[in-house]
Amino acid sequence: METGGLPLELWRMILAYLHLPDLGRCSLVCRAWYELILSLDSTRWRQLCLGCTECRHPNWPNQPDVEPESWREAFKQHYLASKTWAKNALDLESSICFSLFRRKKERRILSVGPGHEFDSLGSALAMASLYDRIVLFPGVYEEQGEIILKVPVEIVGQGKLGEVALLASIDQHCSTTRVCNLVFMPAWFSPIMYKTTSGHIQFDNCNFENGHIQVHGPGTCQVKFCTFRNTHVFLHNVPLCMLENCEFVGSENNCVTVEGHPSADKNWAYKYLLGLIKASPIFLPAEDNEFLMSLDLESRDQAWSPRTCDIVIEGSQSPTGPVCSSPKPGSKEAEVGSDGERVAQTPESSDGGLSPSGEDEDEEQLTYRLSYQVQGPRPVLGGSFLGPPLPGASIQLPSCLVLNSLHQELQKDKDAMALASSVQGCLIRKCLFRDGKGGVFVCSYGRAKMEGNVFRNLTYAVRCIHNSKIVMLRNDIYRCRASGIFLRLEGGGLIAGNNIYHNAEAGVDIRKKSNPLILCNQIHHGLRSGIVVLGNGKGVIRNNQIFSNKEAGIYILYHGNPIVSGNHIFKGRAAGIAVNENGKGLITENVIRENQWGGVDIRRGGVPILRSNLICFGYSDGVVVGDEGKGLIEGNTIYANKGCGVWMMSSSLSHVSSNHVSYNGLYGVAVFSQKDGELPGGHGAQESFSEDGDAILWEAELEKDDDPLRRPVTVALVESNSINHNGASGIFVQSSEALQVVANVIHANGDRGVTIVQSSQLTRVANNSISCNRQSGVKVEFQCKVELRGNGIYDNRGHGIITKGDGTAVVENDIIGNRGSGLQLLPRSDTKVLKNRIHSFRAYGIAVRGRVKALVQENIIFQGKANKTIFQQITNNRECIMHNNKFLVFKKKSDTWRLVNPPARPHLENSLRGSSAAHSGHKVAAMATRITARVEGGYHSNRSIFCTIL
């Protein structure tokens, strides 16, 4: 560039005095001049943009203090948009024959005002020709009759906005009109300020007060930089309308109503508006990593596999006899606790188990061995979450549970991408809705798209009903007096990337067969629930952050049936997900953490499928299945919750299968039986889920459907779970209903492996691996009916089995290597002991305490220490019958016994496979009930620590 020796800064100062046409001509000189013109973005282009009376700050009204990325680009977009209304003139001129020979007609400027050519707008319109410009000078103009626009004109107010006020009712019958820089007020005879049924209307930089604007299809409108005060915009069957950078304030009804399916008939402006939308910046960035939540999670993969233990036996003594010697003073022998239960005092090993071989090296020489296998916890989530939670440490989520960005989700879901990119009906972009009743109301097959808007201090932000569809991208919705977004009567669409918070009711409320896609939103700090799905509502709720809400993060009830996947639900003041009142839903691959109540709470006919979720660090129980709750709980990782891993009522008939339940503060799985008497939780106010405060009865709307995933079951089932390192018993049962505990790995828990304190109907414990627990493997209390069959009970620090149950069957178990006796029968017990293999490392194989009714038959009992016997019976008890048992003692040094024919139990391939989940047959109630909380002290209570429905 030839600069004549002048520096660039000086050239920029000179060019800053040029007007817009001169800047355009200079940019065409050469590439160097073009780049110089572009470099004036923050100076001359900024001045031109802010000095234009037809527009406002590019980020008004939501972010007027934030500068655009390019002032030149913002000015260009507005300039092109301001010319849309007149593009029809070019089409008309190009279609006229001999247009090349016609002289182009110049547009006239008609002046209206005191001392000017015309006194009123009506008189100027009577003299106007096609595309004339009518300029209204400062003043107030009141028209006494309805104005009919018959020719395309441009009506512009002179001076600053607010200096020209027009009180009129205008009905547009022409093809196009533009109105700019005016304050509109309704005339005395009609609240309608402007109406068009077929043409195109463009409003720029106007104020509308206390009236209505109506656009009927195939008519179109383009509105930018306008303020609507208590003004209702009604769009009926419009094919396309644009509302950009507008402010809606103080509406007594809906600010914008979009009604009816977009008209198939389109006027001339449709293609230009569509091109303008496609040319403008979109709201879908290539990456939006700022949306992603970084969890404090750190991988602690550990290789868990079955371990081989060698039972080491010492010395020789008579295999039977009543002698019982005491442990040596100062030895680390197990101490006898209450009910004769032995509690080990040895230090813990790394996995919570025992290493019998190698202990007490000062005792007599070891002589022979018994080899067997112990099942350890099965890896879940790629091996993560198997180690103990470390204070202050972070945990890395497995890839399947990490939140994707909105861009990534749309790339995976082509239907969602097509929906996000579609433009139909009404486009509302970068507008502010505040301090009124309703924001946008879409009804009767209407279509609306909302991008980058702010909704605040309204009764509700958006309402979508009657088969309408909405697309909401990156809006802020907060401080609504009811729910933020309502969907009713088969409403649907895409709700993605929005920030929804501090609303008095639910952030998103889905009812009456509505089926939206809710994707990558932040829904938080609500005064009620984050998302509510009820009244046969559906929907896909995916990849959202739902946190710090006062009630459940997601609440499903009254036959709501959504798909909830890939969400992070955390730090709620109630449950993470609550399923009540015959709610359903597929809940999969969510991270549910740090909630005050249960991570997932299922009650009153709730029948969800809960699969492959991470439920961790909760301040109460991981999963609560309360009164009449049902469902399938499968493949979840339930980790480090302060209460129980799973708290359930046996009457719920839940199916708890293939979960990894570890490092929870109380029981791993607790099964209780509690009827409709006193429920924990204190008082609770009733919760209403009606529209605008009116109670609605849902019974007539509920549909009966047959879901193949929910087949009826007749007994509660705890199956194929890994239950380890929990603070109390692995499984705790206090129930009056039947229960099956099948094929679980119950390992290294802080109390017993399985504790059964009440079981008036049969509790079947079969094919489980119960090992390395801090006290006994299994304890059965008085008057319990229990069947123990096919279990492997290894290396527990107390006895293998303690029972004083009435009708206990101990059949075909391997009870090996426990610190106390293999099997201890306490007074008043009635037990059948058949075909077991029993060995105690330091105590008796079978110990009988007091008056016991027992049949001990066809068992294989291995010898323990030299100073212990295989069988101990303190009193002469004729009701204890021993028949055809086999006692094995060593004959020479270094004998090794192995569990063969059959191999070591459990034989998991023979485990029972139960049906999946139950379908609720209970009739729903009319109103939902509020959840209340109560903290129970200790872990021996028969109630969930939190979260009880009244």
Side-chain angles (χ1 to χ4, degrees), residues 109-310:
I109 299 178
L110 308 179
S111 300
V112 178
H116 291 275
E117 185 178 358
F118 300 97
D119 295 330
S120 67
L121 175 63
S123 59
L125 289 171
M127 301 299 296
S129 301
L130 295 175
Y131 302 100
D132 283 348
R133 181 183 178 97
I134 300 176
V135 179
L136 276 68
F137 284 83
V140 177
Y141 301 88
E142 183 175 4
E143 301 294 332
Q144 299 301 315
E146 184 179 51
I147 295 178
I148 307 297
L149 291 181
K150 298 180 180 180
V151 295
V153 293
E154 182 180 24
I155 305 173
V156 180
Q158 182 73 22
K160 296 181 179 180
L161 178 63
E163 294 181 354
V164 180
L166 178 62
L167 285 72
S169 178
I170 301 176
D171 189 354
Q172 177 184 332
H173 291 182
C174 57
S175 60
T176 182
T177 298
R178 180 174 184 249
V179 179
C180 179
N181 205 39
L182 294 179
V183 176
F184 265 92
M185 298 180 187
W188 62 271
F189 53 86
S190 174
I192 298 175
M193 295 183 288
Y194 201 98
K195 178 174 68 174
T196 182
T197 56
S198 60
H200 174 72
I201 174 61
Q202 179 170 338
F203 294 110
D204 289 323
N205 197 34
C206 293
N207 287 355
F208 298 87
E209 298 181 3
N210 304 312
H212 297 168
I213 296 175
Q214 296 181 0
V215 180
H216 297 261
T220 56
C221 71
Q222 181 182 354
V223 185
K224 196 165 186 178
F225 298 118
C226 293
T227 299
F228 298 83
R229 298 184 184 278
N230 192 27
T231 298
H232 180 215
V233 179
F234 181 80
L235 308 174
H236 181 74
N237 292 114
V238 291
L240 190 58
C241 285
M242 290 179 61
L243 281 71
E244 291 186 287
N245 297 92
C246 295
E247 182 181 27
F248 295 83
V249 185
S251 175
E252 296 179 355
N253 206 323
N254 311 303
C255 295
V256 179
T257 296
V258 183
E259 181 182 73
H261 193 278
S263 173
D265 297 330
K266 300 175 175 62
N267 65 13
W268 67 269
Y270 177 85
K271 63 179 181 180
Y272 292 106
L273 289 178
L274 194 60
L276 191 64
I277 292 171
K278 292 181 178 180
S280 60
I282 61 175
F283 276 78
L284 300 178
E287 289 292 341
D288 51 353
N289 294 327
E290 73 279 0
F291 175 74
L292 297 181
M293 177 184 62
S294 58
L295 287 177
D296 291 329
L297 302 171
E298 168 186 279
S299 68
R300 287 195 290 268
D301 295 341
Q302 297 185 6
W304 285 89
S305 60
R307 56 188 185 90
T308 299
C309 299
D310 291 331

Side-chain angles (χ1 to χ4, degrees), residues 380-400:
V380 179
L381 293 177
S384 300
F385 306 100
L386 289 177
L390 302 177
S394 61
I395 300 176
Q396 182 65 41
L397 283 177
S399 59
C400 64

Side-chain angles (χ1 to χ4, degrees), residues 41 43 258 280 343 437 499 517 561 563-564 649 785 944:
D41 189 81
T43 54
V258 183
S280 60
V343 182
K437 182 178 180 181
N499 190 14
L517 172 57
N561 191 16
I563 298 174
V564 182
M649 295 181 67
K785 295 180 181 180
S944 171

